[in-house]
Amino acid sequence: MGDEGARRAEARRRDAALPDRDWSELPNGVTRSWHSAPSGRLAMISAGDPAAPRVVLVPGVTGSKEDFILMMPLLADAGYRVESFDMAGQYESAEAGPENVTPPRRSYDHDLFVDDLISVLEAGPGPAHLLGYSFAGTVSQLATVRRPELVASLTLLSCPPESGQGFRGVKRLGPFTGLATGRVGAALMIWGVRRNFTKVPPGRLAFVRHRFGFTRRQSVRDIISLMKRAPDAVAELASSGLPMLIAVGEHDLWPTSLHRAFADSLGARLVIYPTGHSPCETTPYELVLDLLTLYNER
């Protein structure tokens, strides 16, 4: 086994040994702050030397910055400044929303999330290595196309692999998702997470249920609707020359064949982990190993 194989085997061993934890408790060296974005104040956490090369990790719908707390110390120890934030309407950024933008809007839309992300990227030095998780993968693609000088590399983690009605390819339920409104889709998503159909450990489940007490339901409804009309940024990204990685679990919501076709269309490397939709929570050591490989391409 070569050095790469040994590093991957060790990462998988550490991932397999991860204990349950209190996800509301930040690791040592991770600090809290706020960022003033166009939609309002966004809750942030950061780790690492502020002068180091920057990594920005963006969580998805019903998620939060804490989804990355297993990864952040690893990236900081590798010499990076790591930042994450709750998107507008989500968890501790619940008060950020369309009524705060200029001029005010009635709904959360792609531009709101993209403008917020660009604001975060502009707030730090140099281009950042950007990772978008699930719906935030779509947001990250759009921000990268709009402001490519702000992005050093792009990682799409469990990102919907198709534009347009992004749920149509979901395993088993895909053909029926076009019938559900954003309100119905959001209610089903929240119900399923609360009922723990994905079988997360008790500590994780307690935190997920806790943050639902803060997340604005309108933001979830609007995002589900947005995921049914996702813009297509493939051509622009494929011609950008930007280092890109598609990272997914083998038991993701979408079949691996769709993720593989998506990666091929972008000219991106595809990595598949022995997990579900949340490699940042369940395989953080192996995911960070692949991120560091990507970052070294820059």
Side-chain angles (χ1 to χ4, degrees), residues 264-289:
D264 288 345
S265 69
L266 290 172
R269 179 185 171 212
L270 173 69
V271 290
I272 303 169
Y273 305 111
T275 187
H277 190 61
S278 306
C280 50
E281 303 165 24
T282 51
T283 58
Y285 283 95
E286 192 170 7
L287 175 55
V288 167
L289 181 68

Side-chain angles (χ1 to χ4, degrees), residues 11 29 33 61 63 75 111 131 180 184 193 204 214 234 249 267 293:
S33 62
V61 58
L75 290 166
D111 283 342
L131 180 150
V184 171
V193 174
R204 179 66 186 174
F214 297 83
V234 167
T293 299

Side-chain angles (χ1 to χ4, degrees), residues 2 13 19 90 133 137 150 153 182 189 210 259-260:
R13 184 192 67 78
Q90 309 291 299
Y133 175 23
L150 297 176
S153 71
M189 173 183 284
H210 163 76
H259 289 298
R260 190 178 306 281

Side-chain angles (χ1 to χ4, degrees), residues 187-239:
L188 289 172
M189 173 183 284
I190 294 171
W191 177 75
V193 174
R194 284 187 180 277
R195 293 294 298 271
N196 196 25
F197 287 145
T198 54
K199 306 300 182 186
V200 302
R204 179 66 186 174
L205 181 60
F207 176 69
V208 167
R209 288 174 171 169
H210 163 76
R211 69 186 178 193
F212 271 137
F214 297 83
T215 294
R216 199 193 300 195
R217 292 300 184 271
Q218 179 196 354
S219 69
V220 181
R221 293 194 299 267
D222 289 350
I223 289 171
I224 296 301
S225 295
L226 292 174
M227 292 178 72
K228 297 174 75 173
R229 53 178 193 274
D232 186 349
V234 167
E236 295 94 329
L237 290 172
S239 63

